[in-house]
Every structure is written in structure tokens, then in C-alpha cells.
Amino acid sequence: MTRNILSTLAGLLVAVAFVFLIELISHRIWPPPAAISDMSDKEALRNAVAAMPFGSLASVALAWIAGAFSGGFVAAKLSRKAVPAWIVGGFIALSGIGNLMMIPHPFWFWIVAIVLVPAVTLAAARLGAPRVPASP
């Protein structure tokens, strides 16, 4: 039990670090638009996101995918079970969906959050905690 909890925490730390670092690098390459004074103004948010270069948006999607995979892999590898990887991937997916609900993004971002993040989490869980064949 302790191993699973610590593995999950380590995976979350790795996932958040990957997302942070990739987004930090992205902001150096493509500085974010000027600050929006009213975060509840959906139209201003939609216009700001629409004005962002594709590379900037793609790097955020890459950050979510890399975070889910790396954090999930670390969690699964340390615990030798898939459940901690799924917790990490779920955290990244829910964080991404929360972000999408607050800030209007292009439709393909929803695909990343709903399809790709779980897919890379599955890959991380399988690579990090391979199934042991049943004994005859």
C-alpha cells in the first residue's frame, strides 16, 4: 500500500514537472498573449487562443501527453502495478479537461485530453508494469 502511494506521488511529481518544463520552454519560444483582465470574458479568451500560433498550442498538447506518459511510466515502474499510472493519467486528463472548460480551445484539444492522454497512460502502464502470465 505504501509503495503504491509513494509510486503515485512520484509519478505525479514527474508528470507535473514534464508539463511545467515543456510549457516553460514553449512560453520562451511563443510568448503568451497579453494578459486578459477579465478571465470570465469567454470571447476575449477565445480570441486570445485563436491568435496563438499552432506551435504554441501543440506544445501544450505535447506537454499533457508527455506528462501523462512519463508520470504514468514512473508510477507503474515503481509500484509494479498499473493503477498508480492510471491515477497519474487521470489527474492529467482531468486537469486538461478543467483547463478546456475554463479557456476555449480548438476542438482537437478535446481529442488530446479525452483520447490521447488515456492512450499514452495505457502504454505507460503496460510498459512500466508488464503483466505476469498466470501459472499453469
Side-chain angles (χ1 to χ4, degrees):
M1 175 79 148
T2 302
R3 178 186 201 106
N4 291 334
I5 292 170
L6 293 175
S7 299
T8 302
L9 292 174
L12 285 169
L13 182 65
V14 168
V16 169
F18 262 79
V19 171
F20 176 78
L21 289 173
I22 292 171
E23 288 190 13
L24 181 69
I25 292 167
S26 170
H27 288 175
R28 300 276 182 190
I29 298 170
W30 300 283
I36 297 172
S37 59
D38 183 8
M39 290 300 286
S40 65
D41 184 355
K42 292 287 187 189
E43 193 59 35
L45 289 169
R46 188 179 333 279
N47 291 336
V49 171
M52 296 173 79
F54 175 78
S56 176
L57 294 172
S59 66
V60 172
L62 174 67
W64 294 357
I65 291 167
F69 182 81
S70 61
F73 180 80
V74 166
K77 195 71 167 170
L78 293 175
S79 71
R80 296 185 219 130
K81 295 182 181 169
V83 172
W86 283 108
I87 293 170
V88 172
F91 173 80
I92 296 295
L94 290 175
S95 297
I97 290 169
N99 184 290
L100 292 169
M101 292 175 81
M102 289 187 302
I103 302 170
H105 284 74
F107 176 74
W108 62 269
F109 254 81
W110 285 92
I111 303 299
V112 170
I114 296 172
V115 176
L116 292 180
V117 168
V120 300
T121 301
L122 173 63
R126 286 192 173 168
L127 289 171
R131 295 182 199 168
V132 178
S135 300

